[in-house]
């Protein structure tokens, strides 16, 4: 059985990203930086109707706009649109202005439907307009149960009922979705902003009815996706068709507005929770009724699916008697997609809020209540380590007793991420040159998480070289196939693969050169013996070096101004495990990112829909609030290194418990529950029984 080396020079240490110079100097080329010969701008016309029958689209006038080289319809014949922002047509032209002019003169014959609905609670009403004609907006709920819940509640010493809700969250990666695409007789080349060069290739080939070998996807650098960039995308298919027609490459990047409308989101949740414990503090009965919206449906626009509205429940804690009832409500809005730890942050927020509400009723410290009920030994360790670092004992006061106008509070919550394990079909190769240079080629991609650095670190460790001696090439379907970067699987997929490549490289190099150990200082001499022909070694993912799942706990400290309602996040202590830590810096950076994203979910982010027009009312960064630099608290990260477990992904678990921990800290500060994310000043004041001056009563 292979195993990771014990006394490692680079593994679990801090290696600065190998591509940092390219990024900070602006040399890194993203999909929208590609200067393909003679490229054109591409733009998409989107529906201004939230629900309509489209009977005709006429592109003639658009094609007469000076500078316009191509125009295509999103679909032929009659079809229905079901949300504001659904794709109707696209144009390609030599300037942005030409494209804008062309979009304006496309003639669309549309018959708006009688009604539409963008609000979950409206959509649930029996007389609501149907998003999908002939089927109810909310199908019959799925029900699961264990034990005898009704009986069990009568046996509890304390029971609480709470209502906890989370909003639709938009992915909003810094780089919007899009591609530069060239379709010639030789096939399609797409410089794509994607989380999966292979999955994007397959998506494009399928939609364009081409052989997969005729489509090449290249992603040198990529600015985030969080689950929303796993497919070829409607925008990719349209760009390819425009390129075919214009006989020129087309750069079609979505606008920020497009990103808010049409390329995925995290479903909302409305969770009615009843939970009870026996006198010794053991959870005994749990009941959840939950609904949420995934827009027209999870992945219903075929741009990369996943991310349904159901949540895992009861989250994390075993409860002997449970009843869980869930349904997804369709509304006239863009479909959901997988979003960083799909379904876990809302599940965590509901359950962990209910846990603290129940602990308060029992008169227990919520951390102790967790230690009694959490059966996971890793989290037990993490809670103890984190509590110590955070100073939980010294800081803890009963809810609402913090004095003064600005009250402080603390809270905690736990995470579980069942994925994070490997894609077992991952492959890669290395070319070793006689001059001692070595280049790794893997058909994986670095979506901003540090994949290139992880490859360099593992290779340097195995070969006794320095990370900067390793050339890393990823993000190209011409390389041996790699995994899509979803489910926190990338690190656990590529690390064992690079290990295997290195083992084979050493074996072959040693055999060919006659040098017994080709590592480290012997490397140049061994390579020299290759003569004039480089050595190319192929490797596969191998068993025994990676694993799943990951856990983690977080502690948050907040200050709540009871006059303005403003919540300030002061500090987060995060204790996480991910098996063997490959590179400490990239691991910490995933956790920082997860916490900052979770903080946005807790305090700022929420898609707001307009009931009258069906449009997203806050489609840009002025109005859709993401955490800014000034909001970011002191973050202290404690990593549990468990090399014996092998490599596990960390991207998703890191964002799971943050919002719940913050919500609990706010409850602890003010002694009242804000049961609805985001925790805005108005909601804080309302929870305190104060009506903000700008709210009409
Ligand atoms: Mo992630 S939501 O699995 O890309």
């Amino acid at each position: 059985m292979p195993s990771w080396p014990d006394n490692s020079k680079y593994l679990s240490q801090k290696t600065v990203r190998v591509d940092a110079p390219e990024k900070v100097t602006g040399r890194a080329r993203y999909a929208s930086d590609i200067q393909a010969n003679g490229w054109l701008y591409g733009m998409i016309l989107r529906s201004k109707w939230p629900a309509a029958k489209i009977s005709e689209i006429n592109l003639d006038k658009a094609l007469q706009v000076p500078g316009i080289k191509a125009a295509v319809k999103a679909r032929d014949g009659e079809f229905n649109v079901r949300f504001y922002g659904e794709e109707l047509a696209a144009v390609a032209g030599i300037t942005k202005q030409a494209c804008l002019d062309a979009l304006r003169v496309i003639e669309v014959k549309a018959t708006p439907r009688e009604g539409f609905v963008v609000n979950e609670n409206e959509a649930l009403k029996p007389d609501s307009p149907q998003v999908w004609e002939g089927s109810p907006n909310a199908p019959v709920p799925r029900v699961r149960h264990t034990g005898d819940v009704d009986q069990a509640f009568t046996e509890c010493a304390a029971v609480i009922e709470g209502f906890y809700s989370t909003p639709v969250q938009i992915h909003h990666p810094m780089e919007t979705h899009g591609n530069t695409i060239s379709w010639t007789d030789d096939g399609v080349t797409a410089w794509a902003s994607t989380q999966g060069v292979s999955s994007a290739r397959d998506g494009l080939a399928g939609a364009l009815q081409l052989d997969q070998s005729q489509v090449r996807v290249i992603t040198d650098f990529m600015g985030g996706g969080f689950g929303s960039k796993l497919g070829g995308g409607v925008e990719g298919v349209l760009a390819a068709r425009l390129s075919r027609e214009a006989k020129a490459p087309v750069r079609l990047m979505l606008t920020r507005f497009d990103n808010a409308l049409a390329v995925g989101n995290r479903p909302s949740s409305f969770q009615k929770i009843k939970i009870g414990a026996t006198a010794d503090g053991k959870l005994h009965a749990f009941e959840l009724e939950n609904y949420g919206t995934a827009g027209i449906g999870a992945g219903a626009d075929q741009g990369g699916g996943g991310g349904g509205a159901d949540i895992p429940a009861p989250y994390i804690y075993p409860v002997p008697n449970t009843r869980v009832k869930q349904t997804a409500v369709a509304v006239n809005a863009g479909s959901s997609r997988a979003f960083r730890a799909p379904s876990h942050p809302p599940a965590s927020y509901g359950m962990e809020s209910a846990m603290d509400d129940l602990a308060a009723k029992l008169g227990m410290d919520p951390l102790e209540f967790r230690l009694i009920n959490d059966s996971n030994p890793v989290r037990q360790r993490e809670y103890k380590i984190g509590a110590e670092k955070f100073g939980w004992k010294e800081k803890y006061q009963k809810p609402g007793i913090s004095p003064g106008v600005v009250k402080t509070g603390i809270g905690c919550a736990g995470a579980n991420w069942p994925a994070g394990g490997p894609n077992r079909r991952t492959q890669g190769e290395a070319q070793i040159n006689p001059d001692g240079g070595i280049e790794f080629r893997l058909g994986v991609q670095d979506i901003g998480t540090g994949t290139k650095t992880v490859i360099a670190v593992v290779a340097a460790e195995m070969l006794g070289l320095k990370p900067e001696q390793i050339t890393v090439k990823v993000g190209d379907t011409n390389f041996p196939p790699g995994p899509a970067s979803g489910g926190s699987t990338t690190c656990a997929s590529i690390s064992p693969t690079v290990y295997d490549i290195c083992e084979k490289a050493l074996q072959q190099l040693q055999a060919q050169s006659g040098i017994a150990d080709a590592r480290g200082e012997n490397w140049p001499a061994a390579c020299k013996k290759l003569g004039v022909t480089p050595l190319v070694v192929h490797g596969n993912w191998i068993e025994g070096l990676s694993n799943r799942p990951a856990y983690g706990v977080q502690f948050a400290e907040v200050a709540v101004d009871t006059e303005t309602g403003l919540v300030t996040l002061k500090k987060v202590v995060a204790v996480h495990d991910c098996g063997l830590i490959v590179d400490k810096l990239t691991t910490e950076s995933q956790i920082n990112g997860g916490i900052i994203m979770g903080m946005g979910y807790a305090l700022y982010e929420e898609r707001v829909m307009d009931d009258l027009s069906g449009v997203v009312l806050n489609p840009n960064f002025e109005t859709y609030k993401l955490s800014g630099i000034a909001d970011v608290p002191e973050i202290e990260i404690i990593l549990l290194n468990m090399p014996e477990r092998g490599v596990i992904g960390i991207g998703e678990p890191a964002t799971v418990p943050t919002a719940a921990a913050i919500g609990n800290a706010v409850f602890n500060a003010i002694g009242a529950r804000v049961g609805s994310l985001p925790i805005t000043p108005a909601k804080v004041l309302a929870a305190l029984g104060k009506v903000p001056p700008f709210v009409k009563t």
Side-chain angles (χ1 to χ4, degrees):
M1 208 56 163
S3 66
W4 292 106
D6 284 336
N7 294 313
S8 40
K9 190 150 181 216
Y10 297 107
L11 288 177
S12 315
Q13 309 300 315
K14 294 190 169 187
T15 297
V16 172
R17 292 192 188 214
V18 294
D19 51 357
E22 285 164 283
K23 285 186 174 173
V24 299
T25 57
R27 241 194 310 139
R29 291 192 315 166
Y30 293 76
S32 61
D33 296 320
I34 301 301
Q35 301 287 336
N37 225 352
W39 66 272
L40 305 168
Y41 285 100
M43 256 182 224
I44 295 176
L45 180 71
R46 295 180 181 277
S47 173
K48 299 281 191 289
W49 302 276
K53 186 160 101 187
I54 307 296
S55 44
E56 203 187 321
I57 298 174
N58 189 328
L59 302 170
D60 293 348
K61 286 186 184 158
L63 285 164
Q64 284 158 24
V65 171
I68 290 298
K69 304 292 183 190
V72 298
K73 299 174 193 177
R75 290 153 81 175
D76 285 321
E78 283 193 357
F79 63 97
N80 290 318
V81 287
R82 293 195 167 80
F83 67 93
Y84 185 114
E86 203 164 338
E87 300 80 4
L88 295 176
V91 298
I94 57 174
T95 61
K96 279 188 184 175
Q97 190 58 51
C99 292
L100 286 168
D101 292 346
L103 293 187
R104 265 194 290 274
V105 296
I106 293 175
E107 291 169 335
V108 181
K109 266 198 197 133
T111 317
R113 294 246 329 265
E114 264 310 279
F116 65 91
V117 62
V118 293
N119 175 295
E120 301 90 329
N121 295 302
E122 292 300 317
L124 277 175
K125 293 180 180 165
D127 58 346
S128 165
Q130 288 182 338
V131 176
W132 296 91
E133 311 76 11
S135 50
N137 292 333
V140 178
R142 290 165 289 278
V143 184
R144 288 185 284 111
H145 60 90
T146 55
D148 184 342
V149 189
D150 299 320
Q151 171 63 27
F153 275 119
T154 67
E155 296 157 1
C156 291
V159 175
I160 64 106
E161 284 182 78
F163 187 65
Y164 311 96
S165 71
T166 61
V168 170
Q169 185 186 22
I170 302 177
H171 297 74
H172 276 320
M174 281 300 122
E175 181 193 32
T176 61
H177 293 54
N179 303 263
T180 298
I181 294 196
S182 167
W183 188 352
T184 67
D185 292 343
D186 297 331
V188 167
T189 303
W191 291 270
S193 177
T194 182
Q195 292 175 241
V197 287
S198 298
S199 53
R201 190 264 317 268
D202 299 352
L204 288 172
L208 301 170
Q209 294 179 301
L210 292 171
D211 291 346
Q212 291 178 347
S213 59
Q214 285 177 284
V215 181
R216 180 179 178 192
V217 174
I218 299 170
T219 303
D220 289 335
F221 288 89
M222 195 272 197
F226 310 111
S228 67
K229 290 182 181 168
L230 288 160
V234 179
E235 66 282 355
V237 175
L238 289 172
R241 289 175 50 212
L242 287 168
S243 170
R244 180 68 162 169
E245 194 165 306
K247 296 188 172 47
V250 170
R251 177 195 292 178
L252 197 165
M253 299 302 295
L254 298 193
T255 64
R256 188 52 62 187
F257 189 9
D258 294 340
N259 255 69
L261 294 172
V263 287
N265 51 68
R266 190 192 292 286
S268 55
S269 77
F270 294 81
Q271 309 175 42
K272 206 171 110 191
I273 294 178
K274 185 177 175 187
I275 185 167
T278 46
D280 57 358
K282 270 282 197 192
L283 290 175
H284 190 54
F286 171 86
E287 188 170 15
L288 167 75
E289 267 183 59
N290 174 45
Y291 63 89
T293 188
I296 57 169
D301 58 2
Q302 331 241 300
D310 279 12
I311 58 174
Y315 193 65
I316 306 185
Y317 307 98
V319 189
N321 305 286
T322 65
R323 183 160 53 224
V324 174
K325 206 168 146 185
Q326 306 203 63
T327 188
V329 188
V331 300
N332 293 100
S335 69
S336 71
R337 287 184 188 172
F339 192 158
R340 200 170 189 174
S343 77
H344 283 242
S348 163
Y349 176 69
M351 185 69 182
E352 296 282 28
S353 299
M355 286 292 284
D356 272 38
D357 289 350
L358 184 55
K361 186 142 186 194
L362 285 161
M364 285 184 75
D365 174 321
L367 175 60
E368 272 165 37
F369 187 48
R370 281 177 174 73
L371 293 174
I372 291 174
N373 283 291
D374 193 336
S375 60
N376 181 270
V378 178
R379 272 196 305 268
Q380 287 276 344
R381 267 178 72 195
E382 291 173 334
Y383 273 124
K384 280 166 196 156
I385 295 167
E388 185 80 16
K389 276 274 176 200
F390 184 75
W392 178 274
K393 260 207 190 105
E394 300 73 51
K395 285 179 182 166
Y396 183 75
Q397 319 178 64
K398 288 201 181 307
I401 66 165
S402 169
V405 169
V406 178
K407 299 183 182 299
T408 57
I410 59 174
C412 61
N416 173 45
W417 182 242
N423 176 323
R424 293 158 180 262
R425 293 184 297 274
T426 303
Q427 299 172 41
E429 64 187 16
Q431 177 168 327
I432 297 144
N433 295 318
D435 67 0
I438 178 165
E439 175 176 292
F440 281 80
R441 299 186 283 249
L442 287 89
V444 65
Q445 52 288 313
D446 189 334
I447 62 173
T449 50
T451 299
K452 289 174 191 167
T453 309
V454 162
I455 292 170
V457 163
V458 173
E461 187 69 50
M462 296 294 296
L463 302 173
L465 302 174
K466 292 181 180 145
E468 57 268 30
Q469 287 176 273
I470 313 290
T471 300
V472 180
K473 297 273 169 72
V474 297
D476 191 333
T477 47
N478 279 1
F479 299 152
S485 292
S488 305
T489 51
T490 309
C491 201
S493 305
I494 58 167
S495 304
T497 307
V498 174
Y499 180 108
D500 187 50
I501 298 168
C502 291
E503 287 259 291
K504 288 180 175 147
L506 285 172
Q507 278 164 19
Q508 292 184 33
L509 192 57
Q510 285 157 189
Q512 284 190 34
S513 65
I515 293 174
D517 182 353
R519 286 177 300 174
E521 55 186 22
N522 295 337
W523 179 262
C527 295
K528 210 167 183 185
K529 297 258 182 177
L530 290 170
V532 292
T533 313
L535 174 66
V536 177
V537 204
H538 196 98
N540 301 295
W541 177 87
I542 51 172
E543 196 82 52
L545 298 167
S546 56
N547 213 328
R548 64 202 284 183
Y551 309 100
V553 305
Q554 294 180 7
F555 296 80
E557 182 175 355
V558 300
V560 184
D561 187 321
T562 54
E563 280 178 356
T564 63
L566 186 74
V567 175
T568 306
L569 181 57
K570 310 290 279 184
K571 181 167 184 163
V572 173
V573 171
V575 191
H576 282 274
D577 57 285
C578 54
L580 169 76
I581 296 155
V582 178
D583 176 32
K584 217 170 164 191
L585 275 182
T586 52
T587 306
E588 287 177 353
S589 128
Q590 281 302 303
I591 295 170
N592 282 323
I595 289 167
I596 293 166
M597 189 173 245
M599 152 190 207
Y601 194 48
L603 299 177
Y604 311 120
E605 294 184 49
E606 173 177 31
R607 185 187 72 184
V608 181
M609 301 295 295
D610 182 29
D611 290 332
L612 296 178
S613 65
V615 73
V616 175
L617 281 175
N618 55 342
N620 54 48
F621 289 160
E622 246 183 304
T623 48
Y624 186 96
K625 296 292 185 191
L626 293 172
S627 306
I629 299 269
D631 304 314
V632 174
E634 181 194 345
I635 297 174
E636 191 176 341
I637 296 168
I638 301 147
L639 293 170
L640 256 56
N641 196 16
M642 294 191 259
E644 67 287 357
R645 289 202 69 203
V647 178
I648 305 170
I650 188 66
E652 287 168 297
T655 205
V656 170
T658 313
I662 294 170
N664 283 338
V666 172
F667 169 70
N668 180 251
I670 64 174
R673 171 65 59 184
V674 178
S676 150
L677 297 185
I679 302 171
T680 59
K683 289 181 194 169
V684 170
L685 292 179
L688 289 166
K690 298 179 180 178
V691 179
F694 49 85
V695 173
K696 289 199 195 104
T697 50

